[in-house]
Amino acid sequence: MDDRCQKFSAGAAAIFSTWTALRLSIDNSSNPNAEQMATDLQADVIDWFVQEGATNEIMPDELQDFLESVFDRELHTDVEDGSIRQVSEMLCSMFKQCFAGDYTLVTKALQVQYGGNQSKVEEKLWGGVPIIPGTKIADDDEDEPTEDNKETTEMEEDGAPAPKEKPKRRRKPKPQADADGWTTVGGA
C-alpha cells in the first residue's frame, strides 16, 4: 500500500469520525443500519480518492454532490450547516497535499480526533497501524514494500490505477411515510 494513500486514509477517517453532522445523522436515525452506512460512506470516499484521485483530480463540487445525495437518500438528512462543502474541500486539499508528501492537514485532522494527543497522532501517522478495518485500498501485492526497499518503492510508484467512476452506493429501503406524507427521523 502506498504510504501517501495510508496517510490520506488516516486523515480522511479522522475527518469522518469528528464530523458533527454525520454523527448527529447516525445518532438520530431510525435506521438500525445507519452506523454501517456511515462506515460504507467513509470507505467509498476513501476508495474513490485512492482509485481515481491520483490520475483524475476529484473536485470539491463533485464530492459535495455525492455526499449530499448520500445524506439525502440514505441518511434522510438535509445538512444545512455548510459542513458538506467544508468536508469536501478539506478532503480534496488533503489528498493533493498527501500526494505532494505534505501531511499537514492529516496531522491537524488527527490532532482533532485525538484531542491533541501528539503520541497518538504520531503513532497513527508513522506507526504502521491499520488505518480503517475493512477498507480495501488498491495496491500491488508483488510490489509490497519491505523495510529494506520501502523508501525506494514509495519513490518509484506513480500513483493509483486508472480512473473508474464515482463509487456506487447500495440502495437501502426507504422508510415508510405516515398518512400525511411525513417521515419522522429519530430514535424509537
Side-chain angles (χ1 to χ4, degrees), residues 86-104:
Q86 291 172 336
V87 166
S88 298
E89 289 173 350
M90 185 175 292
L91 287 171
C92 289
S93 294
M94 182 184 290
F95 189 78
K96 284 180 197 174
Q97 282 188 1
C98 285
F99 265 76
D102 178 1
Y103 305 114
T104 306

Side-chain angles (χ1 to χ4, degrees), residues 59-151:
M59 302 304 292
D61 291 341
E62 190 177 17
L63 181 55
Q64 180 179 348
D65 290 345
F66 174 71
L67 292 172
E68 285 173 347
S69 71
V70 171
F71 269 90
D72 183 46
R73 287 191 317 232
E74 295 185 23
L75 296 172
H76 308 289
T77 304
D78 188 14
V79 180
E80 296 178 347
D81 65 353
S83 65
I84 291 179
R85 180 68 186 177
Q86 291 172 336
V87 166
S88 298
E89 289 173 350
M90 185 175 292
L91 287 171
C92 289
S93 294
M94 182 184 290
F95 189 78
K96 284 180 197 174
Q97 282 188 1
C98 285
F99 265 76
D102 178 1
Y103 305 114
T104 306
L105 286 176
V106 172
T107 302
K108 287 180 182 177
L110 290 171
Q111 286 172 335
V112 170
Q113 180 182 25
Y114 293 118
N117 184 334
Q118 192 61 30
S119 63
K120 284 216 178 241
V121 171
E122 289 174 8
E123 178 184 337
K124 193 71 164 181
L125 265 179
W126 309 110
V129 227
I131 303 304
I132 304 168
T135 300
K136 181 171 180 359
I137 297 180
D139 62 5
D140 296 335
D141 290 339
E142 60 204 53
D143 293 332
E144 191 67 29
T146 63
E147 287 304 310
D148 295 333
N149 70 1
K150 187 173 184 175
E151 194 171 317

Side-chain angles (χ1 to χ4, degrees), residues 24-56:
L24 288 171
S25 281
I26 294 165
D27 292 346
N28 293 306
S29 177
S30 59
N31 186 333
N33 298 321
E35 189 73 47
Q36 183 60 47
M37 290 190 322
T39 301
D40 291 346
L41 172 63
Q42 176 179 318
D44 289 347
V45 169
I46 291 171
D47 283 345
W48 184 17
F49 274 99
V50 170
Q51 297 295 323
E52 189 173 327
T55 56
N56 188 18

Side-chain angles (χ1 to χ4, degrees), residues 30 174-185:
S30 59
K174 291 193 175 193
Q176 298 295 323
D178 64 13
D180 295 326
W182 291 91
T183 302
T184 303
V185 177

